[in-house]
Amino acid sequence: MTLPTPSFSPAFARIRAAARAEAVNRERDHSLPFDTVEELQRIGFGSRRLTAEPRIPLTELFGNIVDLAAADSNIAHLFRGHIAFVETLLFNGDSEAQARWRDRLRSGALVGNAQSERGDTTDIATTLTRTEDGARLNGCKYYTTGSIYADWIHVSALDGGDYVGATVDARDPGVATADDWDGFGQQLTGSGSTTFTDVPVAPADIETFSPDAERFQYITGIYQLCLLATVAGIAEAALADTVDFVRPRQRTFAQAGQNPPRESELVQASVGRLSAASHTARAAVLSNAAELDAALAARLRGEEAGELFLAAQLGVFKTQQTLLPLVLGAVTELFEVGGASAVGTRLGLDRHWRNARTIASHNPAAERARQLGDYHLNGRLPARRSASGVSGQAPASIRTAIAATAEGA
């Protein structure tokens, strides 16, 4: 694995340390981490895959995401749409678009994500309208993770009969983002509503979706792995907080004795299992990142990479099946180390379970398990059901491709 550049590493470590120290109070006070996000962008956290020479590998990027999530899972999660946006640029290999966005991202710009809409179907109601003054975007999105912090927002819309991606200036007066996400976890990700009213869109920032199985597999894998990396970071944070909680204690459950809790075999076993879950989660995320990286590298070299992309996507889906229950079990067991005192709100240990459970509710693992079984039994490739209700086949349908980016965003 390529190590972070010297100029990046110390600053990143300092920001992580500050974020970890603030995490409990920030969540208790519902204080959105605008300053931390700005600091991360200032040191190039969100642009390194486009601007670093040689390009940093995905294993390094996702290792950084795990590290950041171990400090504050909200901050790691809110970068999900931005990371997928950058990886889409790299996948497309469009040098003109890459150059334009490289300049924007190098200056610290953050790209938010606005794909999903509330309703009884997965149909998209947001529209792009052509006028004499140029294209205008109108509509309302929900689960717009990261958009409240963003300088640009990537939005799915209908352009006549075509499905498009439009990237708009978040500072335009027609853009209104509300912090109305009401989940019991990941409360500081800004995953609420964003409304677009006659927002201008530059022609160069409109992309028509086209069927592409490899892109679907790669970007779906990236989106899901961002979530899994965040959960892996939660496991590491839970381990660190549990150790900090146990070490100074002198009382084991209801008894005072000669041996402090850290000498209790029961407490040791609980911490040992939590440490194993944390280690396994990070290792699995980095393994999946290496597979995705290998597939993209082969494509960019002009090699046939279809099997590599499929294997990488399936690998992420399989990790989802094992990593989520592993970490959820571990962050539940951490409460066994301290009895009733471990549930005090001052400690905020409950946030680890709430945040992991919230993330695990994205992209339901039960549906992914069925897709995996269907693939191995019948050879059908994993695909989100399209808006018409018909299960997609590779190459993915346009609606499926859009839905894939919107899942649990």
Side-chain angles (χ1 to χ4, degrees), residues 2-202:
T2 303
L3 294 176
T5 59
S7 59
F8 176 82
S9 298
F12 186 51
R14 174 184 55 77
I15 293 169
R16 292 196 333 265
R20 184 173 187 269
E22 298 166 352
V24 174
N25 289 337
R26 191 183 288 282
E27 184 161 309
R28 183 185 299 120
D29 299 338
H30 197 84
S31 175
L32 299 180
F34 287 102
D35 291 346
T36 305
V37 173
E38 184 177 337
E39 283 188 275
L40 286 165
Q41 290 301 86
R42 191 178 301 125
I43 66 169
F45 177 77
S47 62
R48 297 173 72 220
R49 285 273 288 170
L50 273 179
T51 59
E53 293 294 342
R55 180 181 303 135
I56 67 166
L58 278 177
T59 48
E60 182 178 327
L61 173 66
F62 278 96
N64 290 160
I65 295 170
V66 176
D67 293 338
L68 188 56
D72 188 328
S73 63
N74 292 276
I75 298 172
H77 188 176
L78 69 86
F79 276 92
R80 183 184 180 219
H82 179 96
I83 290 164
F85 182 85
V86 170
E87 293 307 312
T88 300
L89 289 173
L90 292 173
F91 181 94
N92 290 345
D94 182 340
S95 58
E96 183 178 337
Q98 281 191 26
R100 185 173 70 257
W101 280 101
R102 186 179 292 113
D103 291 341
R104 290 173 176 174
L105 299 179
R106 185 182 284 122
S107 70
L110 179 72
V111 182
N113 187 44
Q115 308 293 327
S116 301
E117 298 179 11
R118 281 182 157 173
D120 295 330
T121 73
T122 57
D123 281 319
I124 293 174
T126 299
T127 59
L128 193 69
T129 305
R130 308 288 177 162
T131 73
E132 293 181 356
D133 298 323
R136 293 292 183 268
L137 183 73
N138 287 276
C140 185
K141 299 288 188 177
Y142 195 63
Y143 304 117
T144 59
T145 300
S147 291
I148 201 167
Y149 305 95
D151 302 285
W152 298 85
I153 305 176
H154 187 62
V155 189
S156 61
L158 274 173
D159 180 9
D162 295 325
Y163 287 85
V164 299
T167 308
V168 301
D169 190 336
R171 296 157 295 188
D172 186 89
V175 177
T177 300
D179 183 26
D180 57 354
W181 163 240
D182 62 354
F184 61 62
Q186 296 299 97
Q187 295 174 348
L188 307 182
T189 58
S191 299
S193 305
T194 301
T195 302
F196 304 90
T197 306
D198 291 330
V199 180
V201 189

Side-chain angles (χ1 to χ4, degrees), residues 268-283:
Q268 290 172 354
S270 292
V271 173
R273 284 188 286 271
L274 180 52
S275 73
S278 171
H279 172 83
T280 301
R282 179 185 281 266

Side-chain angles (χ1 to χ4, degrees), residues 234-313:
I234 289 172
E236 294 190 4
L239 173 61
D241 284 355
T242 301
V243 169
D244 288 346
F245 171 73
V246 170
R247 277 180 175 164
R249 289 177 59 80
Q250 296 300 312
R251 173 175 167 175
T252 302
F253 303 112
Q255 300 178 7
Q258 298 299 315
N259 295 322
R262 65 179 181 275
E263 299 295 345
S264 164
E265 293 181 358
L266 294 177
V267 172
Q268 290 172 354
S270 292
V271 173
R273 284 188 286 271
L274 180 52
S275 73
S278 171
H279 172 83
T280 301
R282 179 185 281 266
V285 166
L286 296 185
S287 176
N288 288 140
E291 288 188 294
L292 287 164
D293 215 5
L296 181 62
R299 175 187 172 88
L300 295 179
R301 289 193 301 266
E303 300 172 6
E304 171 55 46
E307 291 187 5
L308 292 175
F309 279 110
L310 175 59
Q313 181 195 34

